[in-house]
PDB file of all heavy atoms in Angstrom:
ATOM      1  N   ASP A   1     -37.907 -10.303 -68.351  1.00 46.00           N
ATOM      2  CA  ASP A   1     -38.464 -11.632 -68.206  1.00 46.00           C
ATOM      3  C   ASP A   1     -37.422 -12.699 -67.957  1.00 46.00           C
ATOM      4  O   ASP A   1     -37.731 -13.762 -67.468  1.00 46.00           O
ATOM      5  CB  ASP A   1     -39.295 -12.006 -69.444  1.00 46.00           C
ATOM      6  CG  ASP A   1     -38.499 -11.922 -70.724  1.00 46.00           C
ATOM      7  OD1 ASP A   1     -37.405 -11.327 -70.713  1.00 46.00           O
ATOM      8  OD2 ASP A   1     -38.969 -12.441 -71.731  1.00 46.00           O
ATOM      9  N   LEU A   2     -36.123 -12.440 -68.244  1.00 44.00           N
ATOM     10  CA  LEU A   2     -35.110 -13.450 -67.990  1.00 44.00           C
ATOM     11  C   LEU A   2     -34.993 -13.742 -66.496  1.00 44.00           C
ATOM     12  O   LEU A   2     -34.824 -14.874 -66.076  1.00 44.00           O
ATOM     13  CB  LEU A   2     -33.764 -13.004 -68.551  1.00 44.00           C
ATOM     14  CG  LEU A   2     -32.584 -13.928 -68.283  1.00 44.00           C
ATOM     15  CD1 LEU A   2     -32.832 -15.303 -68.891  1.00 44.00           C
ATOM     16  CD2 LEU A   2     -31.308 -13.337 -68.826  1.00 44.00           C
ATOM     17  N   LEU A   3     -35.089 -12.672 -65.675  1.00 43.00           N
ATOM     18  CA  LEU A   3     -34.910 -12.852 -64.237  1.00 43.00           C
ATOM     19  C   LEU A   3     -36.175 -13.380 -63.559  1.00 43.00           C
ATOM     20  O   LEU A   3     -36.098 -13.975 -62.499  1.00 43.00           O
ATOM     21  CB  LEU A   3     -34.499 -11.516 -63.593  1.00 43.00           C
ATOM     22  CG  LEU A   3     -33.110 -11.011 -63.966  1.00 43.00           C
ATOM     23  CD1 LEU A   3     -32.852  -9.680 -63.280  1.00 43.00           C
ATOM     24  CD2 LEU A   3     -32.044 -12.009 -63.567  1.00 43.00           C
ATOM     25  N   THR A   4     -37.334 -13.157 -64.130  1.00 47.00           N
ATOM     26  CA  THR A   4     -38.558 -13.536 -63.460  1.00 47.00           C
ATOM     27  C   THR A   4     -39.155 -14.826 -64.012  1.00 47.00           C
ATOM     28  O   THR A   4     -40.058 -15.387 -63.427  1.00 47.00           O
ATOM     29  CB  THR A   4     -39.605 -12.416 -63.602  1.00 47.00           C
ATOM     30  OG1 THR A   4     -39.822 -12.144 -64.996  1.00 47.00           O
ATOM     31  CG2 THR A   4     -39.121 -11.148 -62.926  1.00 47.00           C
ATOM     32  N   ARG A   5     -38.646 -15.309 -65.119  1.00 48.00           N
ATOM     33  CA  ARG A   5     -39.205 -16.519 -65.705  1.00 48.00           C
ATOM     34  C   ARG A   5     -38.855 -17.742 -64.865  1.00 48.00           C
ATOM     35  O   ARG A   5     -37.727 -17.915 -64.448  1.00 48.00           O
ATOM     36  CB  ARG A   5     -38.672 -16.701 -67.122  1.00 48.00           C
ATOM     37  CG  ARG A   5     -39.251 -17.907 -67.816  1.00 48.00           C
ATOM     38  CD  ARG A   5     -38.795 -17.972 -69.237  1.00 48.00           C
ATOM     39  NE  ARG A   5     -39.399 -19.119 -69.896  1.00 48.00           N
ATOM     40  CZ  ARG A   5     -39.148 -19.470 -71.131  1.00 48.00           C
ATOM     41  NH1 ARG A   5     -38.320 -18.773 -71.848  1.00 48.00           N
ATOM     42  NH2 ARG A   5     -39.722 -20.509 -71.655  1.00 48.00           N
ATOM     43  N   VAL A   6     -39.841 -18.582 -64.595  1.00 57.00           N
ATOM     44  CA  VAL A   6     -39.645 -19.796 -63.804  1.00 57.00           C
ATOM     45  C   VAL A   6     -39.918 -20.997 -64.702  1.00 57.00           C
ATOM     46  O   VAL A   6     -40.826 -20.988 -65.505  1.00 57.00           O
ATOM     47  CB  VAL A   6     -40.562 -19.807 -62.573  1.00 57.00           C
ATOM     48  CG1 VAL A   6     -40.404 -21.101 -61.806  1.00 57.00           C
ATOM     49  CG2 VAL A   6     -40.268 -18.612 -61.678  1.00 57.00           C
ATOM     50  N   GLY A   7     -39.123 -22.039 -64.538  1.00 72.00           N
ATOM     51  CA  GLY A   7     -39.339 -23.244 -65.318  1.00 72.00           C
ATOM     52  C   GLY A   7     -38.613 -23.254 -66.642  1.00 72.00           C
ATOM     53  O   GLY A   7     -38.869 -24.110 -67.482  1.00 72.00           O
ATOM     54  N   CYS A   8     -37.689 -22.337 -66.848  1.00 86.00           N
ATOM     55  CA  CYS A   8     -36.950 -22.308 -68.104  1.00 86.00           C
ATOM     56  C   CYS A   8     -35.777 -23.294 -68.043  1.00 86.00           C
ATOM     57  O   CYS A   8     -35.418 -23.801 -66.980  1.00 86.00           O
ATOM     58  CB  CYS A   8     -36.452 -20.904 -68.413  1.00 86.00           C
ATOM     59  SG  CYS A   8     -35.378 -20.201 -67.165  1.00 86.00           S
ATOM     60  N   ARG A   9     -35.227 -23.567 -69.196  1.00 92.00           N
ATOM     61  CA  ARG A   9     -34.093 -24.498 -69.308  1.00 92.00           C
ATOM     62  C   ARG A   9     -32.845 -23.677 -69.602  1.00 92.00           C
ATOM     63  O   ARG A   9     -32.770 -22.965 -70.614  1.00 92.00           O
ATOM     64  CB  ARG A   9     -34.372 -25.488 -70.432  1.00 92.00           C
ATOM     65  CG  ARG A   9     -33.550 -26.754 -70.347  1.00 92.00           C
ATOM     66  CD  ARG A   9     -34.203 -27.847 -71.191  1.00 92.00           C
ATOM     67  NE  ARG A   9     -33.607 -29.147 -70.937  1.00 92.00           N
ATOM     68  CZ  ARG A   9     -32.860 -29.809 -71.813  1.00 92.00           C
ATOM     69  NH1 ARG A   9     -32.624 -29.299 -72.995  1.00 92.00           N
ATOM     70  NH2 ARG A   9     -32.346 -30.976 -71.494  1.00 92.00           N
ATOM     71  N   ILE A  10     -31.850 -23.770 -68.736  1.00 94.00           N
ATOM     72  CA  ILE A  10     -30.660 -22.929 -68.830  1.00 94.00           C
ATOM     73  C   ILE A  10     -29.443 -23.795 -69.104  1.00 94.00           C
ATOM     74  O   ILE A  10     -29.127 -24.705 -68.338  1.00 94.00           O
ATOM     75  CB  ILE A  10     -30.457 -22.123 -67.525  1.00 94.00           C
ATOM     76  CG1 ILE A  10     -31.696 -21.274 -67.242  1.00 94.00           C
ATOM     77  CG2 ILE A  10     -29.215 -21.258 -67.621  1.00 94.00           C
ATOM     78  CD1 ILE A  10     -31.713 -20.649 -65.872  1.00 94.00           C
ATOM     79  N   GLY A  11     -28.770 -23.523 -70.204  1.00 95.00           N
ATOM     80  CA  GLY A  11     -27.543 -24.231 -70.533  1.00 95.00           C
ATOM     81  C   GLY A  11     -26.342 -23.502 -69.970  1.00 95.00           C
ATOM     82  O   GLY A  11     -26.179 -22.306 -70.210  1.00 95.00           O
ATOM     83  N   VAL A  12     -25.522 -24.189 -69.202  1.00 95.00           N
ATOM     84  CA  VAL A  12     -24.330 -23.591 -68.598  1.00 95.00           C
ATOM     85  C   VAL A  12     -23.107 -24.360 -69.080  1.00 95.00           C
ATOM     86  O   VAL A  12     -23.000 -25.571 -68.870  1.00 95.00           O
ATOM     87  CB  VAL A  12     -24.393 -23.629 -67.052  1.00 95.00           C
ATOM     88  CG1 VAL A  12     -23.134 -23.004 -66.457  1.00 95.00           C
ATOM     89  CG2 VAL A  12     -25.635 -22.902 -66.551  1.00 95.00           C
ATOM     90  N   VAL A  13     -22.198 -23.654 -69.735  1.00 95.00           N
ATOM     91  CA  VAL A  13     -20.972 -24.290 -70.221  1.00 95.00           C
ATOM     92  C   VAL A  13     -19.972 -24.394 -69.081  1.00 95.00           C
ATOM     93  O   VAL A  13     -19.591 -23.380 -68.482  1.00 95.00           O
ATOM     94  CB  VAL A  13     -20.361 -23.492 -71.391  1.00 95.00           C
ATOM     95  CG1 VAL A  13     -19.005 -24.066 -71.780  1.00 95.00           C
ATOM     96  CG2 VAL A  13     -21.309 -23.500 -72.588  1.00 95.00           C
ATOM     97  N   VAL A  14     -19.571 -25.617 -68.750  1.00 92.00           N
ATOM     98  CA  VAL A  14     -18.549 -25.860 -67.732  1.00 92.00           C
ATOM     99  C   VAL A  14     -17.636 -26.952 -68.270  1.00 92.00           C
ATOM    100  O   VAL A  14     -18.041 -28.102 -68.420  1.00 92.00           O
ATOM    101  CB  VAL A  14     -19.161 -26.309 -66.390  1.00 92.00           C
ATOM    102  CG1 VAL A  14     -18.053 -26.595 -65.385  1.00 92.00           C
ATOM    103  CG2 VAL A  14     -20.108 -25.265 -65.839  1.00 92.00           C
ATOM    104  N   ASP A  15     -16.421 -26.592 -68.588  1.00 91.00           N
ATOM    105  CA  ASP A  15     -15.443 -27.575 -69.053  1.00 91.00           C
ATOM    106  C   ASP A  15     -14.038 -27.032 -68.838  1.00 91.00           C
ATOM    107  O   ASP A  15     -13.861 -26.037 -68.118  1.00 91.00           O
ATOM    108  CB  ASP A  15     -15.702 -27.969 -70.515  1.00 91.00           C
ATOM    109  CG  ASP A  15     -15.635 -26.786 -71.474  1.00 91.00           C
ATOM    110  OD1 ASP A  15     -15.084 -25.726 -71.096  1.00 91.00           O
ATOM    111  OD2 ASP A  15     -16.135 -26.921 -72.605  1.00 91.00           O
ATOM    112  N   SER A  16     -13.051 -27.660 -69.450  1.00 90.00           N
ATOM    113  CA  SER A  16     -11.664 -27.258 -69.231  1.00 90.00           C
ATOM    114  C   SER A  16     -11.363 -25.868 -69.788  1.00 90.00           C
ATOM    115  O   SER A  16     -10.416 -25.217 -69.340  1.00 90.00           O
ATOM    116  CB  SER A  16     -10.711 -28.283 -69.856  1.00 90.00           C
ATOM    117  OG  SER A  16     -11.051 -28.517 -71.213  1.00 90.00           O
ATOM    118  N   ALA A  17     -12.144 -25.401 -70.738  1.00 92.00           N
ATOM    119  CA  ALA A  17     -11.910 -24.072 -71.312  1.00 92.00           C
ATOM    120  C   ALA A  17     -12.675 -22.979 -70.578  1.00 92.00           C
ATOM    121  O   ALA A  17     -12.234 -21.838 -70.514  1.00 92.00           O
ATOM    122  CB  ALA A  17     -12.293 -24.064 -72.793  1.00 92.00           C
ATOM    123  N   PHE A  18     -13.829 -23.328 -70.022  1.00 92.00           N
ATOM    124  CA  PHE A  18     -14.688 -22.348 -69.351  1.00 92.00           C
ATOM    125  C   PHE A  18     -15.062 -22.892 -67.980  1.00 92.00           C
ATOM    126  O   PHE A  18     -16.019 -23.653 -67.842  1.00 92.00           O
ATOM    127  CB  PHE A  18     -15.943 -22.078 -70.191  1.00 92.00           C
ATOM    128  CG  PHE A  18     -15.625 -21.631 -71.588  1.00 92.00           C
ATOM    129  CD1 PHE A  18     -15.665 -22.537 -72.635  1.00 92.00           C
ATOM    130  CD2 PHE A  18     -15.255 -20.330 -71.847  1.00 92.00           C
ATOM    131  CE1 PHE A  18     -15.359 -22.138 -73.927  1.00 92.00           C
ATOM    132  CE2 PHE A  18     -14.937 -19.927 -73.133  1.00 92.00           C
ATOM    133  CZ  PHE A  18     -14.985 -20.831 -74.179  1.00 92.00           C
ATOM    134  N   ASN A  19     -14.297 -22.507 -66.982  1.00 89.00           N
ATOM    135  CA  ASN A  19     -14.485 -23.088 -65.659  1.00 89.00           C
ATOM    136  C   ASN A  19     -14.658 -22.062 -64.557  1.00 89.00           C
ATOM    137  O   ASN A  19     -14.574 -22.391 -63.378  1.00 89.00           O
ATOM    138  CB  ASN A  19     -13.316 -24.022 -65.318  1.00 89.00           C
ATOM    139  CG  ASN A  19     -11.970 -23.377 -65.610  1.00 89.00           C
ATOM    140  OD1 ASN A  19     -11.803 -22.176 -65.414  1.00 89.00           O
ATOM    141  ND2 ASN A  19     -11.027 -24.165 -66.104  1.00 89.00           N
ATOM    142  N   PHE A  20     -14.889 -20.794 -64.936  1.00 90.00           N
ATOM    143  CA  PHE A  20     -15.106 -19.771 -63.903  1.00 90.00           C
ATOM    144  C   PHE A  20     -16.543 -19.273 -63.984  1.00 90.00           C
ATOM    145  O   PHE A  20     -16.960 -18.688 -64.988  1.00 90.00           O
ATOM    146  CB  PHE A  20     -14.154 -18.586 -64.063  1.00 90.00           C
ATOM    147  CG  PHE A  20     -14.397 -17.513 -63.040  1.00 90.00           C
ATOM    148  CD1 PHE A  20     -13.881 -17.619 -61.767  1.00 90.00           C
ATOM    149  CD2 PHE A  20     -15.201 -16.423 -63.342  1.00 90.00           C
ATOM    150  CE1 PHE A  20     -14.143 -16.650 -60.811  1.00 90.00           C
ATOM    151  CE2 PHE A  20     -15.462 -15.449 -62.398  1.00 90.00           C
ATOM    152  CZ  PHE A  20     -14.934 -15.563 -61.128  1.00 90.00           C
ATOM    153  N   HIS A  21     -17.292 -19.528 -62.921  1.00 88.00           N
ATOM    154  CA  HIS A  21     -18.660 -19.026 -62.801  1.00 88.00           C
ATOM    155  C   HIS A  21     -18.852 -18.532 -61.374  1.00 88.00           C
ATOM    156  O   HIS A  21     -18.407 -19.182 -60.430  1.00 88.00           O
ATOM    157  CB  HIS A  21     -19.686 -20.117 -63.086  1.00 88.00           C
ATOM    158  CG  HIS A  21     -19.741 -20.551 -64.509  1.00 88.00           C
ATOM    159  ND1 HIS A  21     -20.425 -19.844 -65.472  1.00 88.00           N
ATOM    160  CD2 HIS A  21     -19.191 -21.604 -65.144  1.00 88.00           C
ATOM    161  CE1 HIS A  21     -20.304 -20.457 -66.638  1.00 88.00           C
ATOM    162  NE2 HIS A  21     -19.557 -21.526 -66.470  1.00 88.00           N
ATOM    163  N   TYR A  22     -19.525 -17.393 -61.214  1.00 86.00           N
ATOM    164  CA  TYR A  22     -19.865 -16.942 -59.880  1.00 86.00           C
ATOM    165  C   TYR A  22     -20.899 -17.904 -59.287  1.00 86.00           C
ATOM    166  O   TYR A  22     -21.886 -18.231 -59.945  1.00 86.00           O
ATOM    167  CB  TYR A  22     -20.436 -15.520 -59.918  1.00 86.00           C
ATOM    168  CG  TYR A  22     -19.420 -14.493 -60.324  1.00 86.00           C
ATOM    169  CD1 TYR A  22     -19.390 -14.001 -61.630  1.00 86.00           C
ATOM    170  CD2 TYR A  22     -18.475 -14.028 -59.409  1.00 86.00           C
ATOM    171  CE1 TYR A  22     -18.449 -13.056 -62.005  1.00 86.00           C
ATOM    172  CE2 TYR A  22     -17.530 -13.087 -59.778  1.00 86.00           C
ATOM    173  CZ  TYR A  22     -17.525 -12.608 -61.079  1.00 86.00           C
ATOM    174  OH  TYR A  22     -16.587 -11.682 -61.455  1.00 86.00           O
ATOM    175  N   PRO A  23     -20.680 -18.385 -58.059  1.00 88.00           N
ATOM    176  CA  PRO A  23     -21.638 -19.325 -57.452  1.00 88.00           C
ATOM    177  C   PRO A  23     -23.056 -18.776 -57.426  1.00 88.00           C
ATOM    178  O   PRO A  23     -24.023 -19.509 -57.615  1.00 88.00           O
ATOM    179  CB  PRO A  23     -21.082 -19.523 -56.037  1.00 88.00           C
ATOM    180  CG  PRO A  23     -19.630 -19.186 -56.135  1.00 88.00           C
ATOM    181  CD  PRO A  23     -19.523 -18.118 -57.185  1.00 88.00           C
ATOM    182  N   GLU A  24     -23.182 -17.451 -57.201  1.00 88.00           N
ATOM    183  CA  GLU A  24     -24.509 -16.846 -57.132  1.00 88.00           C
ATOM    184  C   GLU A  24     -25.251 -16.972 -58.463  1.00 88.00           C
ATOM    185  O   GLU A  24     -26.479 -17.120 -58.496  1.00 88.00           O
ATOM    186  CB  GLU A  24     -24.404 -15.368 -56.740  1.00 88.00           C
ATOM    187  CG  GLU A  24     -23.847 -15.121 -55.354  1.00 88.00           C
ATOM    188  CD  GLU A  24     -22.315 -15.137 -55.292  1.00 88.00           C
ATOM    189  OE1 GLU A  24     -21.673 -15.375 -56.339  1.00 88.00           O
ATOM    190  OE2 GLU A  24     -21.775 -14.910 -54.199  1.00 88.00           O
ATOM    191  N   LEU A  25     -24.505 -16.904 -59.552  1.00 87.00           N
ATOM    192  CA  LEU A  25     -25.117 -17.034 -60.875  1.00 87.00           C
ATOM    193  C   LEU A  25     -25.692 -18.433 -61.067  1.00 87.00           C
ATOM    194  O   LEU A  25     -26.813 -18.602 -61.556  1.00 87.00           O
ATOM    195  CB  LEU A  25     -24.089 -16.717 -61.964  1.00 87.00           C
ATOM    196  CG  LEU A  25     -24.590 -16.809 -63.403  1.00 87.00           C
ATOM    197  CD1 LEU A  25     -25.651 -15.746 -63.675  1.00 87.00           C
ATOM    198  CD2 LEU A  25     -23.433 -16.657 -64.380  1.00 87.00           C
ATOM    199  N   LEU A  26     -24.927 -19.439 -60.664  1.00 88.00           N
ATOM    200  CA  LEU A  26     -25.397 -20.820 -60.790  1.00 88.00           C
ATOM    201  C   LEU A  26     -26.575 -21.089 -59.851  1.00 88.00           C
ATOM    202  O   LEU A  26     -27.519 -21.797 -60.216  1.00 88.00           O
ATOM    203  CB  LEU A  26     -24.255 -21.793 -60.503  1.00 88.00           C
ATOM    204  CG  LEU A  26     -23.042 -21.698 -61.442  1.00 88.00           C
ATOM    205  CD1 LEU A  26     -21.991 -22.721 -61.060  1.00 88.00           C
ATOM    206  CD2 LEU A  26     -23.469 -21.876 -62.895  1.00 88.00           C
ATOM    207  N   GLU A  27     -26.532 -20.511 -58.654  1.00 88.00           N
ATOM    208  CA  GLU A  27     -27.638 -20.674 -57.717  1.00 88.00           C
ATOM    209  C   GLU A  27     -28.917 -20.063 -58.269  1.00 88.00           C
ATOM    210  O   GLU A  27     -30.008 -20.641 -58.165  1.00 88.00           O
ATOM    211  CB  GLU A  27     -27.286 -20.034 -56.370  1.00 88.00           C
ATOM    212  CG  GLU A  27     -26.209 -20.775 -55.596  1.00 88.00           C
ATOM    213  CD  GLU A  27     -25.680 -19.981 -54.420  1.00 88.00           C
ATOM    214  OE1 GLU A  27     -26.243 -18.891 -54.137  1.00 88.00           O
ATOM    215  OE2 GLU A  27     -24.700 -20.423 -53.790  1.00 88.00           O
ATOM    216  N   GLU A  28     -28.767 -18.880 -58.880  1.00 87.00           N
ATOM    217  CA  GLU A  28     -29.931 -18.210 -59.478  1.00 87.00           C
ATOM    218  C   GLU A  28     -30.479 -19.026 -60.637  1.00 87.00           C
ATOM    219  O   GLU A  28     -31.697 -19.165 -60.805  1.00 87.00           O
ATOM    220  CB  GLU A  28     -29.534 -16.806 -59.955  1.00 87.00           C
ATOM    221  CG  GLU A  28     -30.687 -15.961 -60.450  1.00 87.00           C
ATOM    222  CD  GLU A  28     -31.619 -15.497 -59.344  1.00 87.00           C
ATOM    223  OE1 GLU A  28     -31.231 -15.544 -58.165  1.00 87.00           O
ATOM    224  OE2 GLU A  28     -32.760 -15.111 -59.673  1.00 87.00           O
ATOM    225  N   ALA A  29     -29.571 -19.581 -61.432  1.00 88.00           N
ATOM    226  CA  ALA A  29     -29.998 -20.400 -62.564  1.00 88.00           C
ATOM    227  C   ALA A  29     -30.785 -21.618 -62.087  1.00 88.00           C
ATOM    228  O   ALA A  29     -31.841 -21.950 -62.634  1.00 88.00           O
ATOM    229  CB  ALA A  29     -28.782 -20.839 -63.379  1.00 88.00           C
ATOM    230  N   GLU A  30     -30.296 -22.276 -61.045  1.00 88.00           N
ATOM    231  CA  GLU A  30     -30.973 -23.458 -60.524  1.00 88.00           C
ATOM    232  C   GLU A  30     -32.325 -23.106 -59.900  1.00 88.00           C
ATOM    233  O   GLU A  30     -33.260 -23.907 -59.932  1.00 88.00           O
ATOM    234  CB  GLU A  30     -30.080 -24.166 -59.510  1.00 88.00           C
ATOM    235  CG  GLU A  30     -28.868 -24.828 -60.169  1.00 88.00           C
ATOM    236  CD  GLU A  30     -27.875 -25.399 -59.173  1.00 88.00           C
ATOM    237  OE1 GLU A  30     -28.084 -25.195 -57.953  1.00 88.00           O
ATOM    238  OE2 GLU A  30     -26.905 -26.041 -59.603  1.00 88.00           O
ATOM    239  N   ALA A  31     -32.430 -21.891 -59.356  1.00 86.00           N
ATOM    240  CA  ALA A  31     -33.696 -21.453 -58.772  1.00 86.00           C
ATOM    241  C   ALA A  31     -34.732 -21.141 -59.851  1.00 86.00           C
ATOM    242  O   ALA A  31     -35.937 -21.260 -59.616  1.00 86.00           O
ATOM    243  CB  ALA A  31     -33.474 -20.230 -57.882  1.00 86.00           C
ATOM    244  N   LEU A  32     -34.265 -20.735 -61.017  1.00 85.00           N
ATOM    245  CA  LEU A  32     -35.176 -20.340 -62.089  1.00 85.00           C
ATOM    246  C   LEU A  32     -35.690 -21.519 -62.900  1.00 85.00           C
ATOM    247  O   LEU A  32     -36.756 -21.442 -63.503  1.00 85.00           O
ATOM    248  CB  LEU A  32     -34.475 -19.352 -63.032  1.00 85.00           C
ATOM    249  CG  LEU A  32     -34.219 -17.960 -62.468  1.00 85.00           C
ATOM    250  CD1 LEU A  32     -33.370 -17.152 -63.427  1.00 85.00           C
ATOM    251  CD2 LEU A  32     -35.528 -17.239 -62.201  1.00 85.00           C
ATOM    252  N   GLY A  33     -34.946 -22.591 -62.959  1.00 86.00           N
ATOM    253  CA  GLY A  33     -35.396 -23.713 -63.780  1.00 86.00           C
ATOM    254  C   GLY A  33     -34.381 -24.833 -63.840  1.00 86.00           C
ATOM    255  O   GLY A  33     -33.509 -24.958 -62.984  1.00 86.00           O
ATOM    256  N   GLU A  34     -34.460 -25.625 -64.889  1.00 91.00           N
ATOM    257  CA  GLU A  34     -33.565 -26.762 -65.077  1.00 91.00           C
ATOM    258  C   GLU A  34     -32.234 -26.283 -65.658  1.00 91.00           C
ATOM    259  O   GLU A  34     -32.204 -25.555 -66.646  1.00 91.00           O
ATOM    260  CB  GLU A  34     -34.197 -27.768 -66.037  1.00 91.00           C
ATOM    261  CG  GLU A  34     -33.301 -28.955 -66.344  1.00 91.00           C
ATOM    262  CD  GLU A  34     -33.856 -29.826 -67.462  1.00 91.00           C
ATOM    263  OE1 GLU A  34     -34.901 -29.480 -68.030  1.00 91.00           O
ATOM    264  OE2 GLU A  34     -33.203 -30.851 -67.769  1.00 91.00           O
ATOM    265  N   VAL A  35     -31.138 -26.706 -65.043  1.00 93.00           N
ATOM    266  CA  VAL A  35     -29.811 -26.351 -65.524  1.00 93.00           C
ATOM    267  C   VAL A  35     -29.207 -27.550 -66.256  1.00 93.00           C
ATOM    268  O   VAL A  35     -29.178 -28.659 -65.721  1.00 93.00           O
ATOM    269  CB  VAL A  35     -28.877 -25.917 -64.371  1.00 93.00           C
ATOM    270  CG1 VAL A  35     -27.464 -25.669 -64.885  1.00 93.00           C
ATOM    271  CG2 VAL A  35     -29.426 -24.660 -63.701  1.00 93.00           C
ATOM    272  N   VAL A  36     -28.763 -27.315 -67.467  1.00 93.00           N
ATOM    273  CA  VAL A  36     -28.127 -28.350 -68.281  1.00 93.00           C
ATOM    274  C   VAL A  36     -26.665 -27.960 -68.451  1.00 93.00           C
ATOM    275  O   VAL A  36     -26.366 -26.897 -69.011  1.00 93.00           O
ATOM    276  CB  VAL A  36     -28.799 -28.462 -69.668  1.00 93.00           C
ATOM    277  CG1 VAL A  36     -28.135 -29.558 -70.487  1.00 93.00           C
ATOM    278  CG2 VAL A  36     -30.285 -28.713 -69.521  1.00 93.00           C
ATOM    279  N   TYR A  37     -25.747 -28.775 -67.955  1.00 94.00           N
ATOM    280  CA  TYR A  37     -24.327 -28.460 -68.059  1.00 94.00           C
ATOM    281  C   TYR A  37     -23.782 -28.969 -69.394  1.00 94.00           C
ATOM    282  O   TYR A  37     -24.049 -30.096 -69.809  1.00 94.00           O
ATOM    283  CB  TYR A  37     -23.562 -29.045 -66.874  1.00 94.00           C
ATOM    284  CG  TYR A  37     -23.882 -28.320 -65.590  1.00 94.00           C
ATOM    285  CD1 TYR A  37     -24.814 -28.830 -64.685  1.00 94.00           C
ATOM    286  CD2 TYR A  37     -23.294 -27.093 -65.300  1.00 94.00           C
ATOM    287  CE1 TYR A  37     -25.136 -28.150 -63.523  1.00 94.00           C
ATOM    288  CE2 TYR A  37     -23.603 -26.409 -64.131  1.00 94.00           C
ATOM    289  CZ  TYR A  37     -24.519 -26.934 -63.254  1.00 94.00           C
ATOM    290  OH  TYR A  37     -24.842 -26.247 -62.100  1.00 94.00           O
ATOM    291  N   LEU A  38     -23.014 -28.110 -70.054  1.00 94.00           N
ATOM    292  CA  LEU A  38     -22.531 -28.377 -71.402  1.00 94.00           C
ATOM    293  C   LEU A  38     -21.017 -28.250 -71.473  1.00 94.00           C
ATOM    294  O   LEU A  38     -20.401 -27.597 -70.632  1.00 94.00           O
ATOM    295  CB  LEU A  38     -23.159 -27.382 -72.391  1.00 94.00           C
ATOM    296  CG  LEU A  38     -24.679 -27.218 -72.336  1.00 94.00           C
ATOM    297  CD1 LEU A  38     -25.110 -26.021 -73.152  1.00 94.00           C
ATOM    298  CD2 LEU A  38     -25.340 -28.484 -72.835  1.00 94.00           C
ATOM    299  N   SER A  39     -20.445 -28.833 -72.505  1.00 93.00           N
ATOM    300  CA  SER A  39     -19.017 -28.702 -72.774  1.00 93.00           C
ATOM    301  C   SER A  39     -18.825 -28.250 -74.212  1.00 93.00           C
ATOM    302  O   SER A  39     -19.216 -28.948 -75.148  1.00 93.00           O
ATOM    303  CB  SER A  39     -18.290 -30.034 -72.557  1.00 93.00           C
ATOM    304  OG  SER A  39     -16.957 -29.938 -73.036  1.00 93.00           O
ATOM    305  N   VAL A  40     -18.248 -27.077 -74.360  1.00 91.00           N
ATOM    306  CA  VAL A  40     -17.943 -26.560 -75.696  1.00 91.00           C
ATOM    307  C   VAL A  40     -16.892 -27.437 -76.378  1.00 91.00           C
ATOM    308  O   VAL A  40     -16.885 -27.601 -77.592  1.00 91.00           O
ATOM    309  CB  VAL A  40     -17.445 -25.103 -75.594  1.00 91.00           C
ATOM    310  CG1 VAL A  40     -16.876 -24.623 -76.913  1.00 91.00           C
ATOM    311  CG2 VAL A  40     -18.591 -24.194 -75.171  1.00 91.00           C
ATOM    312  N   ALA A  41     -16.018 -28.028 -75.582  1.00 86.00           N
ATOM    313  CA  ALA A  41     -14.937 -28.832 -76.141  1.00 86.00           C
ATOM    314  C   ALA A  41     -15.415 -30.212 -76.590  1.00 86.00           C
ATOM    315  O   ALA A  41     -14.909 -30.761 -77.569  1.00 86.00           O
ATOM    316  CB  ALA A  41     -13.811 -28.977 -75.113  1.00 86.00           C
ATOM    317  N   ARG A  42     -16.407 -30.790 -75.894  1.00 89.00           N
ATOM    318  CA  ARG A  42     -16.792 -32.180 -76.162  1.00 89.00           C
ATOM    319  C   ARG A  42     -18.134 -32.352 -76.853  1.00 89.00           C
ATOM    320  O   ARG A  42     -18.303 -33.236 -77.672  1.00 89.00           O
ATOM    321  CB  ARG A  42     -16.830 -32.976 -74.849  1.00 89.00           C
ATOM    322  CG  ARG A  42     -15.478 -33.182 -74.191  1.00 89.00           C
ATOM    323  CD  ARG A  42     -15.611 -34.182 -73.053  1.00 89.00           C
ATOM    324  NE  ARG A  42     -16.776 -33.933 -72.215  1.00 89.00           N
ATOM    325  CZ  ARG A  42     -16.768 -33.160 -71.133  1.00 89.00           C
ATOM    326  NH1 ARG A  42     -15.668 -32.557 -70.776  1.00 89.00           N
ATOM    327  NH2 ARG A  42     -17.864 -32.992 -70.413  1.00 89.00           N
ATOM    328  N   ASP A  43     -19.125 -31.555 -76.495  1.00 93.00           N
ATOM    329  CA  ASP A  43     -20.477 -31.767 -77.003  1.00 93.00           C
ATOM    330  C   ASP A  43     -20.561 -31.465 -78.495  1.00 93.00           C
ATOM    331  O   ASP A  43     -19.966 -30.506 -78.985  1.00 93.00           O
ATOM    332  CB  ASP A  43     -21.484 -30.900 -76.242  1.00 93.00           C
ATOM    333  CG  ASP A  43     -21.617 -31.319 -74.781  1.00 93.00           C
ATOM    334  OD1 ASP A  43     -21.125 -32.413 -74.443  1.00 93.00           O
ATOM    335  OD2 ASP A  43     -22.193 -30.553 -73.996  1.00 93.00           O
ATOM    336  N   GLY A  44     -21.340 -32.273 -79.186  1.00 91.00           N
ATOM    337  CA  GLY A  44     -21.476 -32.085 -80.625  1.00 91.00           C
ATOM    338  C   GLY A  44     -22.654 -31.233 -81.017  1.00 91.00           C
ATOM    339  O   GLY A  44     -22.774 -30.820 -82.167  1.00 91.00           O
ATOM    340  N   ALA A  45     -23.554 -30.959 -80.069  1.00 93.00           N
ATOM    341  CA  ALA A  45     -24.751 -30.183 -80.381  1.00 93.00           C
ATOM    342  C   ALA A  45     -25.186 -29.394 -79.160  1.00 93.00           C
ATOM    343  O   ALA A  45     -24.820 -29.720 -78.029  1.00 93.00           O
ATOM    344  CB  ALA A  45     -25.872 -31.103 -80.846  1.00 93.00           C
TER     345      ALA A  45
END
């Protein structure tokens, strides 16, 4: 169901510590639902 679910909310960590993502993965995430970009270094929650 992870691959077929539409309309889900996907959190993607992108910051100075985690900056390598395959473009295809991000494209798939955006096709499946809303992508929320996060920072492990800065975000408090």
Side-chain angles (χ1 to χ4, degrees):
D1 57 346
L2 176 60
L3 292 179
T4 57
R5 182 175 182 183
V6 177
C8 59
R9 200 161 191 249
I10 302 169
V12 180
V13 173
V14 178
D15 60 17
S16 52
F18 304 99
N19 48 36
F20 178 81
H21 290 279
Y22 293 100
E24 296 83 358
L25 180 65
L26 299 181
E27 290 168 6
E28 186 71 17
E30 290 173 355
L32 289 173
E34 177 189 3
V35 175
V36 181
Y37 290 98
L38 310 168
S39 170
V40 169
R42 293 190 315 269
D43 294 347

